[in-house]
Amino acid sequence: MSGIVGREEELAALHAFIGEVEGGPAALSLDGEAGIGKSTLWRAGVEHARTHGFRVLVSRPAEAERDLAVAGLGDLFEDALGEVLPALSVPRRRALEAALLIEEGEVSPDPVDRRALAVAVRDSLQLLGEQQRLLIAVDDVQWLDRSSSSALAFALRRLPPNHALLLLARRPADGAQRPGPEHVLAAERVKHVAVGPLSVGALHRFLLDRLGRPFARQSLLRIHERSGGNPFFALELARVLADDADPLQPLRVPETLEELVRARIKGLPPSARQALELASALGAPSESLLERAGVTSEALESAVAAHVIERDHGTIRFTHPLLSSVLYRDLGDERWSVHGRIARIVEDPLLRARHLALSMGTPDSDVARALDEAVALAVDRGAAAVAAELAEQALRLTPAGSGDERHRRALAAARAHQAAGEWTRARSIATDLLAETTIGPSRAEALVLLAELEGVDRASALLEEALCEADSRPALQSVIHCRLAWATRFRTGFDHAAAALDLADELDDDALRARARAVQAILGWFAGDAQAQQDLPARAHDFPGAVGGEQLVQEATLAVVNTFAPASKRDEVRALFDLEHREWRDRDEPRSARALWGLAWVEFWAGRWELAAEHAAHAHDISIQYALEVPQDHLPIALVAVHRGQLTLAREHSERALDLAERQFALHPPQHLAILGLAALWSGDSLAALERFDEAEGQAAALGWSEPSVRWWSSDYAELLLELGRLDDAVRVVDVWEADALRVDRQWVLAQVTRCRGLVASARGDIGLAVACLQQAVAEHEEIGDPFGKGRALLALGIVSRRARQKRTARDSISAALIVFEELGAATWIEKAHDELGSIGGRTREQGLTAAERRVADLVAQGRTNREVAAALFLGERTVASHLTHIYAKLGVRSRTELARKVQTF
């Protein structure tokens, strides 16, 4: 960009940023005071990016737009919607269309999920970034509306490497300032360039270029001194400085930049000033909107000539945000009437409601009721931040003596802020309501809301207080008892669930009854109740709403899977989750993710581990995209990974889960502790494994987990204790596990117990009993459809037979186990089985490649290295090498070249 003087270092930083940054989303922020030249540099960066092949998405928000819904997103995607909308999934496209007020056919009655909007923005940016590098450019980012900033931040955190750069211009905050979208990036990915004052020489060139006349040295020095080198300030000083000004006299100018701006605006005709006052309240209005307000094009000419505003494709923009800010602040009491005029001319109902609210200086019941309707509309559009603002305006305009109306609107405003992510504001409103309400159901409702915003311990205390306040509202008491049942599930949860059900029965309220029974069912399942409810899937459906909000609660899904999936009803459960996934994937992705999470468990028990991993990864991806990550999201991924021999991946997910659990629940989930124990055990670190298993057992006991299927690590724990010579401890673990399994009839667990009994008998030297138990375990696992359990039992049978010098039986059993492990892709167990076969010696398996060996042979024949084959098949390099040894022996070849020729004849 021509005409930029004195900014060589800043321009160099811009060019380097646009031309050299690699490795993922990155941001450069031009920071400086108003008028310092940030916008000029920002525009130069935009032009430089365009000339270097970037796709540039631009937003230039104004102060009046900071509370509008997705105004910034509307600017950014204005010219790209035709490209991105057809490529989005149905819920994401619908969310973006609704948010940007794009109608397509009939408007859906379903509310737009603000999370779906954020994911739609991520997908849109990814799509555009796949075509060419992206630069997202936001001038005056401090005015960017919250919903746009949140959506951009969400997207930046999840974009692939090298997809987008973020160029911002920001002025310092007068007070607390919202974080910009770049705050989600790592500190090393965000560069701040301070835009400081111009030097005297640069200021001379700047003024000469802008005003076309030079200034005497002393006048120039005085301008520089008074302006502090701020080019905007200096330009305003120079404009009012007469050519014949006495250099010995002090400059007669306003003391602050805002006063200079006011002096400049006051020079405009009254008609232009009135038009600009209207524009300052609107932000960046269209000329057609101003015409509806009676503003003619001629009324704006003087403001354009004075460089106060500029025309941009039918839109009026202030040349500097400070001009708009000063105009708006100087309106004073006239602000009410200006907003009233706007409310009468804007078409969008949300804009109309907002300006109507801002036009009222005193409470008004009619306007408050109108705002209630606007809040509902904003929620339907997915504009959570707008809904929160309008809800709070409705509260402000509610007369003080309105009693229940004021309480209702206070709760609505608090919940709207909660939905918008402003938990601090929600907590403040609820706390103020508590201060106004000394007793009764309204206070109870506020306490219930506060409980959702606090940690577990604080939540329990708030709910207990709410229960006392709600003594005149048995329905509310039932709701509170359900919440308390889950909040105190490690202590008195059953009592509260029973109380909730009693109240629901007294009221004969089916909805409350269903919620109470759902909580009872899930709590009872984890406690190992002998009577497992056959309608558990239906109970799981009611569970999230019963315990507070519609957040994902995987405990209910796990109860269904572990009760029915390892048994004869597996296909029924699979069909149940598959139907739920297909039903919701185009309408509510988080809900469909819960179904995928359940399917991952079903397929894990069924031995279809690759499919299980796909389901688990997809569910986890949706959870991350929608910012709903909880420790349980990582569980099926980590469990499948550790069984497939992907020990590093398993550790990463379980360690992440433990970190999340520490912050979210102040405890460590037993199952993730156990996965770390398995990873340690199967990598050869027995002591570390023992420490983790001890932790898992202790935590499960503390949580009252008497349901045996969630303590699936017990067999490995017992086997480790046997290897360490702790026979009595191993027997104790197996005895407790068996007793729990018999009580609730968990056949999968009982098959594992049978295998453990065989290992115990072997440790005691009773080979006959050991062989009998292990043969029975093989049959039991076969009957219930547990291939991994069958493989473990076959391997154990082979090892016991080898030690009894029954080589043929040993070889047959271990070979059969190897086939099972290869079909599963259980890399660690494949290696273990190969090692055990090697210990037997003698005849190898019959001629012919297994399915796993065939996959390895095909890839090696294609010229891939052992490392590449291992990566492609999720195996260890040692496993690949072992496979190759057997392949060479079976096929009678001695090299990769011979193998390639042999494979061609298959």
Side-chain angles (χ1 to χ4, degrees):
M1 176 180 287
S2 61
I4 299 181
V5 297
R7 299 298 189 192
E8 289 77 11
E9 291 184 5
E10 292 89 340
L11 287 171
L14 270 173
H15 295 171
F17 171 72
I18 292 171
E20 299 174 8
V21 171
E22 297 290 342
L28 185 143
S29 179
L30 298 164
D31 303 332
E33 64 183 15
I36 201 67
K38 305 182 302 298
S39 294
T40 300
L41 287 167
W42 176 86
R43 287 193 294 269
V46 167
E47 287 189 11
H48 184 77
R50 282 179 175 145
T51 60
H52 284 73
F54 275 68
R55 175 72 173 270
V56 182
L57 307 181
V58 172
S59 178
R60 298 179 63 191
E63 183 176 7
E65 297 171 336
R66 67 181 306 180
D67 293 318
L68 298 182
V70 297
L73 293 181
D75 291 340
L76 291 172
F77 290 111
E78 183 177 6
D79 297 324
L81 288 174
E83 300 172 56
V84 300
L85 286 178
L88 297 178
S89 66
V90 174
R92 300 176 187 185
R93 182 176 70 249
R94 184 184 300 126
L96 192 58
E97 288 174 340
L100 301 184
L101 307 182
I102 301 169
E103 295 185 358
E104 182 178 331
E106 294 184 1
V107 178
S108 170
D110 296 330
V112 176
D113 191 332
R114 63 189 178 91
R115 299 167 300 183
L117 173 62
V119 179
V121 171
R122 190 286 310 267
D123 285 358
S124 299
L125 294 177
Q126 182 169 336
L127 175 68
L128 295 172
E130 288 170 353
Q131 300 167 4
Q132 61 188 121
R133 290 288 300 280
L134 275 182
L135 178 71
I136 303 167
V138 183
D139 193 11
D140 286 305
V141 70
Q142 73 277 357
W143 304 138
L144 185 64
D145 62 276
R146 182 186 292 111
S147 50
S148 294
S149 182
S150 297
L152 281 177
F154 181 99
L156 287 171
R157 191 186 292 115
R158 295 160 176 82
L159 284 177
N162 304 324
H163 255 63
L165 299 179
L166 189 63
L167 177 61
L168 310 173
R170 173 184 282 107
R171 60 184 287 188
D174 296 328
Q177 188 178 67
R178 298 173 186 165
E182 81 285 0
H183 80 278
V184 298
L185 302 178
E188 65 270 18
R189 306 299 299 165
V190 181
K191 182 174 183 178
H192 290 271
V193 174
V195 183
L198 291 176
S199 66
V200 174
L203 187 61
H204 165 70
R205 298 194 303 275
F206 171 76
L207 294 177
L208 180 62
D209 180 65
R210 294 302 180 91
L211 300 179
R213 66 185 180 97
F215 288 83
R217 178 68 175 172
Q218 291 303 313
S219 295
L220 182 64
L221 289 174
R222 288 195 294 163
I223 292 172
H224 186 269
E225 178 185 13
R226 182 58 62 90
S227 70
N230 183 305
F232 183 76
F233 200 173
L235 187 61
E236 297 304 314
L237 284 168
R239 287 184 193 278
V240 301
L241 185 64
D243 289 339
D244 58 351
D246 186 349
L248 300 179
Q249 296 296 320
L251 292 175
R252 297 180 59 84
V253 295
E255 291 295 325
T256 67
L257 178 57
E258 289 195 5
E259 290 173 350
L260 278 174
V261 171
R262 291 190 184 98
R264 179 175 174 183
I265 295 171
K266 286 178 181 177
L268 296 173
S271 60
R273 183 179 174 86
Q274 291 173 5
L276 294 180
E277 289 172 347
L278 195 65
S280 72
L282 279 163
S286 65
E287 291 194 67
S288 61
L289 181 60
L290 291 176
E291 287 175 5
R292 287 204 298 274
V295 177
T296 65
S297 179
E298 291 75 18
L300 300 173
E301 292 299 336
S302 58
V304 174
H307 301 292
V308 174
I309 59 173
E310 60 185 5
R311 289 188 169 98
D312 182 11
H313 302 291
T315 299
I316 296 299
R317 297 185 183 276
F318 286 89
T319 56
H320 194 281
L322 193 58
L323 292 162
S324 173
S325 300
V326 170
L327 272 164
Y328 187 73
R329 290 170 189 168
D330 284 352
L331 282 173
D333 291 340
E334 293 181 21
R335 190 178 305 167
W336 313 113
S337 62
V338 169
H339 284 293
R341 287 180 64 193
I342 295 173
R344 290 190 292 273
I345 63 172
V346 294
E347 296 179 350
D348 180 72
L350 294 186
L351 276 177
R352 186 185 309 118
R354 178 175 182 269
H355 286 288
L356 180 61
L358 293 174
S359 72
M360 307 299 297
T362 57
D364 187 298
S365 297
D366 292 336
V367 175
R369 281 192 291 273
L371 289 173
D372 287 340
E373 297 178 5
V375 170
L377 177 59
V379 170
D380 286 346
R381 287 186 178 178
V386 174
E389 182 199 1
L390 294 176
E392 191 159 355
Q393 289 284 8
L395 175 61
R396 178 180 69 84
L397 295 175
T398 303
S402 297
D404 291 343
E405 280 291 294
R406 183 167 181 80
H407 296 157
R408 178 181 63 78
R409 289 194 177 114
L411 280 172
R415 290 203 175 277
H417 279 294
Q418 180 189 18
E422 292 289 344
W423 283 34
T424 300
R425 184 59 186 152
R427 188 180 290 110
S428 175
I429 294 173
T431 302
D432 289 344
L433 177 58
L434 284 178
E436 296 176 10
T437 311
T438 57
I439 193 170
S442 294
R443 181 175 179 82
E445 290 178 349
L447 288 164
V448 170
L449 172 60
L450 275 176
E452 295 178 20
L453 304 170
E454 299 288 354
V456 174
D457 292 338
R458 175 65 174 148
S460 298
L462 290 168
L463 290 169
E464 292 284 3
E465 184 181 352
L467 194 60
C468 297
E469 297 289 351
D471 56 358
S472 64
R473 295 263 300 276
L476 180 57
Q477 282 189 314
S478 180
V479 170
I480 296 170
H481 273 301
C482 278
R483 305 287 179 92
L484 273 168
W486 194 242
T488 63
R489 59 189 179 274
F490 308 134
R491 302 189 297 276
T492 58
F494 281 105
D495 295 338
H496 286 293
L501 182 59
D502 288 342
L503 287 166
D505 286 338
E506 290 175 11
L507 295 168
D508 195 22
D509 189 315
D510 288 339
L512 291 176
R513 188 181 291 118
R515 289 187 172 191
R517 285 178 173 168
V519 175
Q520 278 189 328
I522 303 306
L523 288 176
W525 187 87
F526 274 91
D529 280 356
Q531 300 299 320
Q533 299 189 25
Q534 293 303 306
D535 62 349
L536 197 59
R539 299 299 174 212
H541 182 272
D542 295 324
F543 185 66
V547 298
E550 292 300 322
Q551 71 269 33
L552 301 184
V553 182
Q554 284 100 332
E555 283 87 346
T557 301
L558 187 63
V560 173
V561 172
N562 282 23
T563 299
F564 300 111
S568 59
K569 291 191 176 182
R570 179 181 299 155
D571 289 341
E572 181 181 330
V573 175
R574 180 187 286 117
L576 172 72
F577 287 126
D578 187 59
L579 176 62
E580 184 176 359
H581 170 60
R582 286 186 283 106
E583 181 179 355
W584 291 102
R585 63 187 175 189
D586 288 336
R587 290 190 288 160
D588 188 336
E589 287 182 301
R591 183 166 177 176
S592 72
R594 184 170 57 188
L596 284 173
W597 193 89
L599 283 170
W601 281 97
V602 172
E603 303 306 348
F604 173 74
W605 294 128
R608 300 198 290 186
W609 289 358
E610 186 172 354
L611 182 58
E614 290 178 7
H615 288 324
H618 192 184
H620 174 259
D621 185 52
I622 291 174
S623 176
I624 296 298
Q625 291 176 19
Y626 282 86
L628 293 171
E629 184 185 16
V630 294
Q632 291 288 69
D633 292 322
H634 298 266
L635 184 54
I637 296 179
L639 188 65
V640 173
V642 77
H643 281 79
R644 296 176 79 186
Q646 300 166 320
L647 304 185
T648 300
L649 179 64
R651 289 190 188 99
E652 288 174 354
H653 278 278
S654 283
E655 287 169 356
R656 169 63 178 165
L658 291 178
D659 179 61
L660 284 171
E662 181 68 34
R663 289 188 278 115
Q664 294 177 0
F665 308 114
L667 57 82
H668 285 166
Q671 297 189 78
H672 282 292
L673 291 169
I675 287 172
L676 292 177
L678 287 180
L681 177 62
W682 294 347
S683 62
D685 191 343
S686 298
L687 293 180
L690 181 63
E691 182 179 353
R692 288 300 192 178
F693 283 139
D694 283 342
E695 283 187 83
E697 283 287 297
Q699 188 69 280
L703 296 176
W705 279 12
S706 295
E707 165 57 46
S709 66
V710 293
R711 307 197 317 271
W712 40 258
W713 64 85
S714 296
S715 62
D716 291 283
Y717 185 30
E719 187 169 346
L720 173 60
L721 291 170
L722 289 174
E723 290 179 4
L724 297 174
R726 294 171 53 179
L727 179 60
D728 292 341
D729 289 335
V731 171
R732 175 185 54 78
V733 170
V734 174
D735 286 346
V736 172
W737 204 31
E738 182 181 32
D740 289 339
L742 288 169
R743 184 180 65 255
V744 295
D745 192 27
R746 295 288 181 265
Q747 295 300 315
W748 170 82
V749 173
L750 290 173
Q752 294 283 350
V753 167
T754 302
R755 179 176 67 83
C756 291
R757 295 295 185 198
L759 295 175
V760 169
S762 176
R764 287 173 171 165
D766 191 341
I767 301 302
L769 178 60
V771 169
C773 287
L774 292 171
Q775 288 174 337
Q776 181 183 345
V778 171
E780 290 176 356
H781 283 295
E782 177 75 31
E783 182 179 354
I784 64 174
D786 176 16
F788 182 62
K790 176 184 174 182
R792 292 281 299 270
L794 283 168
L795 180 62
L797 178 60
I799 293 173
V800 170
S801 299
R802 176 178 61 80
R803 290 173 181 170
R805 300 184 182 281
Q806 300 172 1
K807 290 189 175 183
R808 180 170 182 174
T809 301
R811 184 182 300 109
D812 290 345
S813 296
I814 296 173
S815 296
L818 179 58
I819 292 173
V820 172
F821 295 145
E822 288 174 335
E823 290 175 349
L824 289 169
T828 303
W829 292 93
I830 292 171
E831 292 186 24
K832 189 176 179 74
H834 275 305
D835 289 344
E836 291 296 337
L837 280 175
S839 299
I840 297 173
R843 183 173 59 85
T844 60
R845 283 188 290 173
E846 290 79 16
Q847 183 75 13
L849 303 184
T850 67
E853 289 170 344
R854 177 58 191 264
R855 289 194 294 269
V856 171
D858 287 340
L859 291 176
V860 170
Q862 294 172 18
R864 300 199 190 188
T865 65
N866 284 12
R867 176 172 295 182
E868 290 170 339
V869 173
L873 299 179
F874 299 102
L875 301 174
E877 287 188 59
R878 179 181 170 186
T879 302
V880 173
S882 179
H883 277 316
L884 275 176
T885 299
H886 289 86
I887 291 167
Y888 285 180
K890 288 181 178 182
L891 300 183
V893 299
R894 293 177 295 179
S895 69
R896 290 173 181 258
T897 302
E898 291 182 26
L899 174 61
R901 287 197 294 266
K902 191 78 171 181
V903 166
Q904 292 176 358
T905 66
F906 286 178

